[in-house]
Amino acid sequence: MLKNPSSKYRAFTPIKLKDRTWPDAVITKAPIWCSVDLRDGNQALIEPMDVDRKLRMFKTLVEIGFKEIEIGFPSASQVEFDFTRRLIDENLIPDDVTVQVLTQARDHLIHRTFEALQGVPKAIVHLYNATAPVMRKVVLGMSEDEIVQLATKNAQLFKELAAKQPETQWTFQYSPEMYSDTELEFSKRVVDAVTAVWQPTPENKCIINLPTTVEHSTPNIFADMIEWSHRHLERRDSIVLSVHPHNDRGTGTATAELALMAGADRLEGCLFGNGERTGNLDIVNVALNMYIQGVDPELDFSNIDEIKRTVEHCNQLPVHPRHPYVGELVFTSFSGSHQDAIKKAFNARQEGEIWDMPYLPIDPKDLGRSYEAVIRVNSQSGKGGISYLLESEYKVALPRKLQIEFSQVVQKAMDAEGAEMSAKDIWAIFQQEYHLDEAAPAYQLGGDGATTTIEATIRKGTAGAAVQGQGSGPIEAFIDAMTKATGKSVQVLDYAEHAIGGGAGAQAMAYVEVDVDGARVWGVGQNPNIVTASIKAILSGIERAGVDLAQLTIVQEPAATA
């Protein structure tokens, strides 16, 4: 790289627009959308779509809600021509959809284009020719006057050929290719000359499409260009002002949004930004940006994963896992602090409230996605993510102090394994750590009303031990029994419980923090009976504190279960 890049590259000259209004504008409605996936996006593929893949993409675009779809470049190849004919001959174009085709400003290509459209109910025919200085001087070798003459001559040919097919409702579109590199005064001259030929009216508008064929400036400069053209083009009330952003600087989305604020009416782009070089405008990105500002984009992405599968199949290109709104990881948090914030916000949120969720600008369910992948656990994760997965997948709601304790257990396992853990993996660790699969002790409860007594048999392997105790209730009585049996001070510091499910299949979960001779640990128990679950939780905690239950007094037969 050059130490002095200005010796090779020049900065884009700002537009002298001192009274610009777009910075204060707010997008309050959807633009006219035009998908160019089947033409511009298709041109950019290593392996262009065949007719079957093009048809699948077309049907998907219709289902999403596009009313204008650029279906191809029928003069470019036989596949493009045949696809156009198939849509028309098989009556596959819905009544509320207008197809668009592109042609260069060359006589024979224009004739071929109109031939491909015979019998179509309505269509947009898109004419373009290059206008930028580098194209005029280096590529075409044409003067400004010759460029204007080229555009107007072919605009006139559009009118003549359209007049021969009066049964079709025609809309004409013109693009000064490389508008983003063309002097504003000259782009106005060419556009005004074309619209002078077409003579659009407010009732029968033409489309003037202003592309950032190559991005060279920051989006604010392009917005100034659009506002300048919006103010100065002749017959503006008879023009649909369209923009076609590319993404060479990585700012295609910003370019489109600022262009709308600057006066554009229409956007052309592709699903997920496919297109030449770094891609076209990503329509999904812009549409869902509007959506999370409370603006209906008038496009339906409620099954975004299916749309993604279709696009990947048709384009033979993957969608990046960090792609906004649709990437596999775009709603996923691995960071412990992020997970904790998301978990708390989910717990606090009531259905129907305004969406105000940390780290999630949109509700994944609005796009047909579940919350399953919102939190995933790796070595960067903390208690929030671990407890969220247990609660969302297994309905286990851990007390906060238990979350802290168990996260340390998972972290050790994570450090040993070095890989991401699923909810199933974490649940297996939880069951093993807190002895959830161990059988419940057999016990009998008694007492005189004021005092509860308990007789229980604690089994560990082939050994069994009889314990007895009393207290004001079953839990206190069992603590007394275990204190006597172990010879250690056992105290309950904290207790929580909840049900999982309902009816005959309901399970009780009990969580008990115990102090065993100064060692503070948590125990967990699960059982259909809440008392049994609590007793199992106490045994879980005592055993986790280092007490060997197999060393208790051995007996022959267990007591009967209450």
Side-chain angles (χ1 to χ4, degrees):
M1 295 179 66
L2 302 174
K3 293 296 184 182
N4 180 23
S6 64
S7 65
K8 186 174 183 179
Y9 302 98
R10 63 176 179 269
F12 199 91
T13 304
I15 309 303
K16 305 298 184 182
L17 193 67
K18 299 301 183 182
D19 57 344
R20 61 181 63 86
T21 62
W22 63 261
D24 294 323
V26 176
I27 298 172
T28 59
K29 65 177 182 178
I32 300 168
W33 301 104
C34 179
S35 160
V36 295
D37 291 85
L38 291 167
R39 196 278 301 171
D40 200 351
N42 190 44
Q43 284 180 198
L45 301 178
I46 299 169
E47 179 187 337
M49 289 180 252
D50 56 23
V51 171
D52 288 339
R53 278 192 285 155
K54 290 194 77 164
L55 185 58
R56 178 175 174 180
M57 177 70 83
F58 179 78
K59 290 179 177 177
T60 296
L61 295 169
V62 170
E63 290 169 0
I64 291 170
F66 286 97
K67 303 305 179 188
E68 296 183 1
I69 302 173
E70 189 171 68
I71 57 173
F73 204 142
S75 64
S77 72
Q78 193 62 43
V79 171
E80 298 286 286
F81 187 96
D82 290 345
F83 177 66
T84 302
R85 291 309 317 161
R86 181 169 179 180
L87 291 180
I88 298 169
D89 294 338
E90 297 183 16
N91 196 29
L92 298 177
I93 306 169
D95 293 341
D96 62 346
V97 172
T98 303
V99 294
Q100 175 174 307
V101 294
L102 181 74
T103 178
Q104 290 170 301
R106 299 172 67 183
D107 289 13
H108 70 286
L109 299 181
I110 295 171
H111 279 277
R112 180 71 166 163
T113 300
F114 275 87
E115 178 187 348
L117 291 172
Q118 287 182 358
V120 69
K122 53 186 176 181
I124 299 167
V125 194
H126 184 181
L127 174 71
Y128 77 94
N129 64 281
T131 58
V134 67
M135 299 297 287
R136 300 195 307 259
K137 298 171 184 176
V138 178
V139 180
L140 302 175
M142 297 175 70
S143 67
E144 291 186 4
D145 290 345
E146 289 171 321
I147 292 291
V148 174
Q149 183 181 10
L150 176 68
T152 54
K153 181 188 75 169
N154 289 286
Q156 181 62 39
L157 182 57
F158 265 44
K159 287 186 69 174
E160 293 170 2
L161 294 178
K164 295 178 180 180
Q165 299 183 47
E167 70 281 1
T168 296
Q169 179 182 329
W170 298 104
T171 299
F172 298 153
Q173 175 170 330
Y174 175 70
S175 288
E177 190 194 12
M178 298 187 73
Y179 163 83
S180 51
D181 289 293
T182 302
E183 311 92 328
L184 284 175
E185 290 288 353
F186 183 62
S187 65
K188 168 180 160 55
R189 179 185 170 192
V190 179
V191 169
D192 288 347
V194 169
T195 60
V197 173
W198 285 343
Q199 287 296 307
T201 66
E203 295 71 37
N204 186 24
K205 297 183 179 184
C206 71
I207 300 169
I208 296 301
N209 187 58
L210 305 177
T212 52
T213 308
V214 180
E215 278 196 323
H216 285 306
S217 71
T218 51
N220 62 299
I221 292 178
F222 186 74
D224 282 348
M225 296 175 69
I226 294 299
E227 183 163 343
W228 188 96
S229 297
H230 170 58
R231 294 186 194 178
H232 291 91
L233 288 179
E234 295 178 7
R235 290 170 281 276
R236 179 63 182 92
D237 64 347
S238 301
I239 290 172
V240 174
L241 193 61
S242 176
V243 292
H244 182 118
H246 279 247
N247 198 44
D248 301 272
R249 302 178 80 253
T251 57
T253 295
T255 294
E257 292 178 332
L258 297 192
L260 290 178
M261 294 162 62
D265 309 305
R266 181 179 185 266
L267 293 180
E268 292 189 347
C270 292
L271 299 176
F272 313 126
N274 180 43
E276 293 279 15
R277 305 181 308 278
T278 57
N280 292 306
L281 168 67
D282 181 349
I283 285 183
V284 177
N285 200 347
V286 177
L288 292 177
N289 284 354
M290 292 180 188
Y291 182 79
I292 64 172
Q293 294 295 308
V295 176
D296 178 8
E298 300 176 13
L299 296 175
D300 183 3
F301 295 112
S302 59
N303 192 2
I304 203 163
D305 285 333
E306 179 59 31
I307 295 169
K308 173 188 172 187
R309 283 190 288 270
T310 295
V311 171
E312 289 182 326
H313 168 77
C314 293
N315 290 344
Q316 300 292 292
L317 291 172
V319 174
H320 195 282
R322 297 292 182 189
H323 189 288
Y325 300 111
V326 72
E328 179 187 353
L329 299 176
V330 74
F331 298 130
T332 299
S333 287
F334 290 104
S335 161
S337 60
H338 289 199
Q339 293 174 344
D340 188 57
I342 291 170
K343 177 179 181 294
K344 289 175 180 176
F346 267 127
N347 290 339
R349 185 176 185 274
Q350 300 296 317
E351 191 63 35
E353 291 180 345
I354 290 293
W355 184 259
D356 186 18
M357 190 68 61
Y359 307 112
L360 290 174
I362 191 172
D363 187 345
K365 286 191 173 181
D366 289 0
L367 305 179
R369 301 181 73 170
S370 70
Y371 295 138
E372 182 178 349
V374 167
I375 288 178
R376 289 162 62 173
V377 171
N378 64 12
S379 60
Q380 302 299 306
S381 305
K383 64 184 184 303
I386 293 165
S387 59
Y388 172 87
L389 289 182
L390 289 179
E391 186 168 351
S392 62
E393 297 296 317
Y394 297 97
K395 311 306 178 188
V396 173
L398 306 185
R400 181 171 175 78
K401 287 193 287 185
L402 177 54
Q403 292 177 26
I404 296 171
E405 180 189 271
F406 181 56
S407 69
Q408 296 169 349
V409 174
V410 174
Q411 193 66 50
K412 289 180 182 178
M414 188 75 66
D415 290 341
E417 295 292 330
E420 179 186 352
M421 285 193 175
S422 67
K424 183 178 179 181
D425 297 329
I426 294 170
W427 176 243
I429 295 173
F430 187 73
Q431 288 179 301
Q432 180 179 7
E433 179 68 21
Y434 294 96
H435 312 286
L436 290 187
D437 290 335
E438 292 187 4
Y443 64 89
Q444 288 182 328
L445 296 176
D448 56 10
T451 301
T452 298
T453 61
I454 190 169
E455 296 182 4
T457 300
I458 311 301
R459 285 202 174 277
K460 190 68 177 179
T462 59
V467 299
Q468 297 180 338
Q470 61 182 15
S472 60
I475 304 304
E476 188 175 302
F478 189 68
I479 290 292
D480 179 59
M482 294 307 296
T483 297
K484 295 172 182 176
T486 61
K488 298 179 181 295
S489 170
V490 181
Q491 300 178 55
V492 172
L493 304 177
D494 200 356
Y495 174 86
E497 53 90 9
H498 66 82
I500 298 177
Q507 291 280 317
M509 292 294 301
Y511 312 99
V512 177
E513 185 184 20
V514 295
D515 183 309
V516 181
D517 273 357
R520 295 188 173 192
V521 293
W522 281 84
V524 181
Q526 180 179 9
N527 194 269
N529 182 286
I530 185 59
V531 173
T532 303
S534 301
I535 288 173
K536 285 188 67 178
I538 293 168
L539 286 176
S540 166
I542 291 173
E543 191 167 12
R544 293 187 66 248
V547 175
D548 186 356
L549 298 181
Q551 300 302 312
L552 301 181
T553 304
I554 298 175
V555 297
Q556 298 301 314
E557 295 296 332
T561 302

